[in-house]
Amino acid sequence: MQERIDRFVNEIPNKEHIQQLVTKLDLILKIEADDNTYYVSFKDGKVAWCDSCMDMGKTATLSGRGAYFEHLFDGNLKLLQGIKMNYFTTDCSFRAQLVLESLFYLARPLPVYKFISE
């Protein structure tokens, strides 16, 4: 799980169109997966993984099984779809959910296609 979060955090600065979403975002994403808790901070146009983010601003909490989060970070599951199917629970506003869904979708790893030559 930590590897997927690191990939997500490192991918955002590399994509200009995602960076525009993050520029004015002031949010702490708290991910509760199985028995672990992870924090991702969006502040001043920067995205960072934190050990703990206490009292640093608005917090959006996503809870669910680690396997579902892996599908979310890999781009195989959309956040709102996962919420609708009760894979995730959240305590943030719908607006925050939309922004997070956009970030997860746009930062997903792109598929690699292999061309077979004859």
Side-chain angles (χ1 to χ4, degrees), residues 21 24 27 32 57 71 79-80 82 89 91 103 118:
L21 285 172
K24 295 182 182 178
L27 183 72
E32 296 174 340
H71 288 292
L79 178 61
L80 295 179
T89 57
D91 72 345
L103 290 172
E118 294 181 53

Side-chain angles (χ1 to χ4, degrees), residues 8-58:
F8 173 75
V9 167
N10 292 329
E11 192 63 33
I12 290 176
N14 296 330
K15 295 186 176 180
E16 184 75 25
H17 58 289
I18 301 175
Q19 192 61 37
Q20 292 178 10
L21 285 172
V22 175
T23 300
K24 295 182 182 178
L25 188 60
D26 184 13
L27 183 72
I28 304 297
L29 174 59
K30 180 180 178 182
I31 299 170
E32 296 174 340
D34 300 324
D35 293 333
N36 298 315
T37 302
Y38 307 91
Y39 296 91
V40 178
S41 169
F42 300 91
K43 187 156 181 88
D44 299 326
K46 295 185 173 123
V47 182
W49 174 85
C50 327
D51 287 330
S52 65
C53 296
M54 301 171 101
D55 300 324
M56 293 180 60
K58 294 181 193 175

